[in-house]
Amino acid sequence: MSPIVAKLLEDRGITAADLEFYLQPTIDKLAKPEELPGIVEAADFILDSVVYRRKIVVFGDYDCDGICATAIVSRTLRALGGTVSEFIPNRLTEGYGMSEASIARMLKDNPGVGLVVTVDNGINSVAEVTNLKRKWCSVVVTDHHLPGEELPDANAIVDPKVSAPEHLQNLCGAGVAFLLANRIVSEAKRRGIYKGPSVGGPLLVMAGLATVTDVMPLLGQNRILVSEALKRFHTCAPTGLKDLYERAARAGADTLTTRDFGFMIGPRINAAGRIASPLEALELLTSEDREITRELARLVDGYNLERKMREQKMVDDALARVVPDAPAQVIDLPEGHPGIAGIVAARVMEKLGERVPVCVYAGNHGSARAPEGLNIRDAFVECADVLDRYGGHAAAGGFSVKPGRIDEFRSLLCDYCRRHFSSKGGVASEAKGPDLWLEASDVTLALAEELRELEPFGEGNPEPIFGLKGVFFADVKPLGAEGKHLSVTLRKSGLRAIRWSGGDEVEHLRAESAQPHDIQFTLTVSDYGERHVELRLVSIA
C-alpha cells in the first residue's frame, strides 16, 4: 500500500482491524438475516400466508428504494408460489406511504386481500394499520425510517431504526427487504416448501442499487451490498435493469461503479415515479419477458430525458425568483411539476452556495432542502398553522400550504431561520480543502489504480479529492459535441484534466493562462487512447 493511500485510510478512521473488511467487502461477510430484530416473526407470518394461499399485497413507495424493495419482496413470494400483487401510491394525489386515500384504492384494486406487507414505509402509519386490521387484513411492516412515539399494531415489524445492532442500522428499505427475502427463502427450504433455484442474485443487485440511490453510508453491510451488486450486475441483474443500463450507458463498461448506479440507472427509475407511473419502473424490475423489458427501458429512459428538460426550465424559473439576502427561499412555481420540486430545490441551494434553505412549491406540493446546521422539519413545526401537511427530516422535507397562505409561510420560515440559523457559517462544497495536497509527480496511473481498491465510493466513503498548488494550464479547450465540458493540460507534467459542465470557463482560463492556479480533483483511469491517469476537476482557484 502506498503512503498516500495509507494516509487516506488513516484519516477516514480505518484501523488495521477494519482493513480486511473494508478492502474485501464480500458476500460471506454479510450479516445473517436473523440478526435483524423482528425478521423471524415477519418471515414466518408471510410464509404462512403463502402456504394458506392468502392474497398478499406488497405496499411500496414511488422512489428507487421503494420500487426496488417492492420488486425484491414480490419476486421472492412469486417464486414460492404466493398470490401477490404490488401497490404503489400516486405521488401527486396520495402522497408518500399509507394514507386514507391510498389504502382505499389499494383495497378497491385488491378485493379479498389478507396480508399487506409494507416496504420502505409504514412505521409511522399507526392509524392506517389499525384500520386495515379492523377490516380483517393482517399487516407486516418493513421500513427503515425513524418511528414516532407510537408503533403501529402490526403482526410483525422489521425496522432497523426501531431495533437493530449498530452494523444494521443504516440499511435502506430495499436492504431490509433483501434480508427479509433471504430469511423467507431459507425458511421455505427448511420446511420443504421450496426446492427451486436460488433467487438471490437479482435481489442483491436491486438492494445495492437502492442503497446508492437512497444515499445510505457505504460502510459495513451497505458496502458489501453495493460492492457485490456492482460486481454481479452483468450476470445477475434483472433483465429490465440490464436493458436500461444498455440504453443509459450506450457503450457499457465491463465493471460498473457507484456512479453508474447513482447517476445513470437510479435517476431513470426515479424519473418514472416523478413524472409518469412508478408501476412501469416496477414492471421493468419484475418482468423477464425481453420484449416487454426492452420497451419499458425505452419508456423509462424517455421519462428521464423529459425530467431533465422540465427540471432545467424549473431551475431557471426558480433562480429568477430568488430574493437576494433572504434567510430562506420560498419559491412559488404554479406551473411547475410537483414531482421535480425536490430536485429543483437542491439545485437552487447548490447555486446559492448551500447557505440557505430552499423550498420550491409547485402546484399543490412543496419540497424543501436545507443546509447543514438547520433542521427543516423543526422549521415546519413552527409554520404548522399555515400548512396542511408536512414531513421529512433534517436535510429534506415535503409540505403543502393552506390555500392563499404561501406568503405567510415564507414570512414564518424566514423568521425561524433568522432566529435559529446563521447562513454566514455555511461553506460552499467547492471551498472545502482536499483530502491531501500532492506533488505532480505523485499523480500516477499506479495511484489511480490503487484507489480502486477503496471503492465503492459514496455517502460515508467519498471519492478522495486531491489538490495541486500553483499549476499552469495549457491546451485549454471545450470538450464534447456541444462544448459543454472543459479539457486542459497541466504544463510541465503533461497531465490531462477535465471538468464536466465547465465549458463556459474556457475563454476565462485561456485569458489567465499565465496565472498559476490551485486545483482540486479526483483521479480516474482513462482507457481513451493509451491507458492513462486523468484528473476530474472539482474546483479551480
Side-chain angles (χ1 to χ4, degrees):
M1 184 182 295
S2 69
I4 291 173
V5 172
K7 179 72 166 92
L8 285 173
L9 293 176
E10 180 185 4
D11 290 347
R12 293 180 182 210
I14 307 298
T15 66
D18 302 325
L19 199 58
E20 181 184 354
F21 190 101
Y22 180 84
L23 294 177
Q24 297 178 338
T26 50
I27 198 73
D28 59 294
K29 299 183 178 74
L30 193 65
K32 290 181 169 51
E34 296 74 28
E35 296 177 44
L36 190 56
I39 208 165
V40 171
E41 295 81 0
D44 285 347
F45 198 90
I46 293 169
L47 196 53
D48 287 344
S49 296
V50 171
V51 171
Y52 292 112
R53 309 297 299 172
R54 300 176 79 191
K55 292 181 69 172
I56 302 172
V57 170
V58 182
F59 194 112
D61 186 29
Y62 39 69
D63 70 354
C64 186
D65 185 24
I67 291 170
C68 287
T70 304
I72 286 170
V73 175
S74 63
R75 285 180 68 121
T76 301
L77 299 186
R78 282 200 181 92
L80 301 183
T83 305
V84 187
S85 299
E86 300 98 342
F87 180 88
I88 296 179
N90 183 294
R91 184 186 203 110
L92 303 183
T93 61
E94 296 166 343
Y96 163 77
M98 287 185 164
S99 65
E100 186 176 331
S102 61
I103 286 179
R105 183 167 67 88
M106 184 271 294
L107 292 173
K108 181 181 177 182
D109 293 348
N110 298 277
V113 57
L115 170 64
V116 172
V117 180
T118 74
V119 290
D120 194 29
N121 76 95
I123 198 62
N124 290 298
S125 303
V126 176
E128 292 80 4
V129 169
T130 298
N131 289 339
L132 277 173
K133 293 187 71 176
R134 285 173 180 164
K135 299 178 188 297
W136 304 103
C137 181
S138 302
V139 182
V140 169
V141 169
T142 77
D143 202 346
H144 74 120
H145 294 100
L146 285 166
E149 294 182 1
E150 182 182 358
L151 293 177
D153 183 27
N155 297 85
I157 294 176
V158 187
D159 185 337
K161 293 297 194 300
V162 172
S163 177
E166 185 176 356
H167 65 284
L168 292 175
Q169 288 180 1
N170 288 316
L171 292 171
C172 67
V176 173
F178 176 70
L179 291 184
L180 175 64
N182 277 341
R183 172 66 193 190
I184 290 171
V185 173
S186 64
E187 179 62 15
K189 288 180 176 179
R190 190 191 69 79
R191 295 191 198 180
I193 298 169
Y194 183 69
K195 299 179 181 179
S198 170
V199 298
L203 313 187
L204 171 64
V205 171
M206 290 187 285
L209 169 64
T211 300
V212 173
T213 58
D214 222 43
V215 201
M216 296 292 106
L218 299 191
L219 299 169
Q221 296 296 302
N222 286 341
R223 190 167 170 78
I224 297 173
L225 289 174
V226 174
S227 178
E228 292 286 359
L230 291 168
K231 285 189 291 189
R232 297 166 188 252
F233 184 88
H234 289 302
T235 55
C236 294
T239 302
L241 271 189
K242 293 177 185 175
D243 290 336
L244 185 61
Y245 177 65
E246 285 179 11
R247 294 194 69 90
R250 306 300 184 259
D254 291 336
T255 303
L256 279 71
T257 70
T258 51
R259 285 184 171 273
D260 295 300
F261 277 2
F263 295 97
M264 196 172 291
I265 302 175
R268 285 166 168 78
I269 300 293
N270 275 326
R274 290 185 185 280
I275 65 173
S277 169
L279 295 177
E280 290 174 322
L282 177 62
E283 188 178 2
L284 182 73
L285 302 186
T286 55
S287 175
E288 290 301 325
D289 186 315
R290 198 63 189 272
E291 287 189 17
I292 292 175
T293 58
R294 281 176 173 163
E295 175 60 17
L296 288 170
R298 184 189 68 80
L299 286 173
V300 170
D301 188 49
Y303 294 146
N304 192 54
L305 291 174
E306 182 182 350
R307 187 269 304 170
K308 285 182 178 179
M309 290 187 290
R310 291 193 183 203
E311 176 189 327
Q312 187 58 57
K313 184 180 185 308
M314 285 179 66
V315 168
D316 292 342
D317 291 346
L319 289 171
R321 290 169 169 79
V322 165
V323 178
D325 300 322
Q329 298 291 336
V330 176
I331 301 168
D332 190 13
L333 299 177
E335 304 302 318
H337 195 290
I340 307 175
I343 303 177
V344 174
R347 297 286 184 268
V348 172
M349 192 174 77
E350 288 172 10
K351 290 285 187 181
L352 299 179
E354 301 183 4
R355 287 182 169 87
V356 295
V358 176
C359 300
V360 173
Y361 202 62
N364 61 353
H365 172 78
S367 287
R369 297 293 185 270
E372 187 176 351
L374 175 69
N375 187 314
I376 195 65
R377 193 183 185 285
D378 289 348
F380 285 162
V381 171
E382 290 215 6
C383 303
D385 288 345
V386 299
L387 300 178
D388 275 329
R389 292 184 66 182
Y390 63 88
H393 49 84
F399 63 97
S400 61
V401 182
K402 292 179 180 178
R405 306 190 73 175
I406 188 75
D407 290 337
E408 290 180 72
F409 171 64
R410 182 181 293 109
S411 177
L412 287 169
L413 184 62
C414 285
D415 181 61
Y416 178 89
C417 290
R418 287 190 192 96
R419 290 184 285 113
H420 295 279
F421 179 68
S422 171
S423 63
K424 293 179 181 179
V427 178
S429 58
E430 287 195 0
K432 297 176 182 177
D435 290 277
L436 290 172
W437 289 101
L438 303 179
E439 298 295 330
S441 58
D442 296 324
V443 183
T444 63
L445 179 61
L447 175 60
E449 289 178 330
E450 188 179 0
L451 289 171
R452 287 182 165 182
E453 299 299 316
L454 310 189
E455 294 179 355
F457 296 127
E459 183 72 16
N461 186 49
E463 190 171 6
I465 295 177
F466 301 103
L468 288 174
K469 290 182 178 289
V471 300
F472 293 87
F473 294 152
D475 195 23
V476 179
K477 60 186 179 183
L479 183 69
E482 299 178 5
K484 290 184 177 179
H485 312 300
L486 167 71
S487 171
V488 301
T489 301
L490 308 190
R491 292 184 193 171
K492 295 184 180 180
S493 67
L495 293 167
R496 182 172 182 262
I498 62 173
R499 185 170 192 174
W500 302 121
S501 302
D504 57 354
E505 300 177 73
V506 170
E507 295 305 321
H508 169 70
L509 292 176
R510 282 176 175 169
E512 290 193 341
S513 60
Q515 301 296 320
H517 296 278
D518 294 345
I519 61 171
Q520 295 183 35
F521 54 89
T522 60
L523 287 179
T524 188
V525 176
S526 175
D527 292 313
Y528 184 75
E530 185 178 349
R531 189 175 173 84
H532 62 281
V533 63
E534 187 170 79
L535 286 64
R536 300 284 174 87
L537 292 169
V538 175
S539 71
I540 302 171

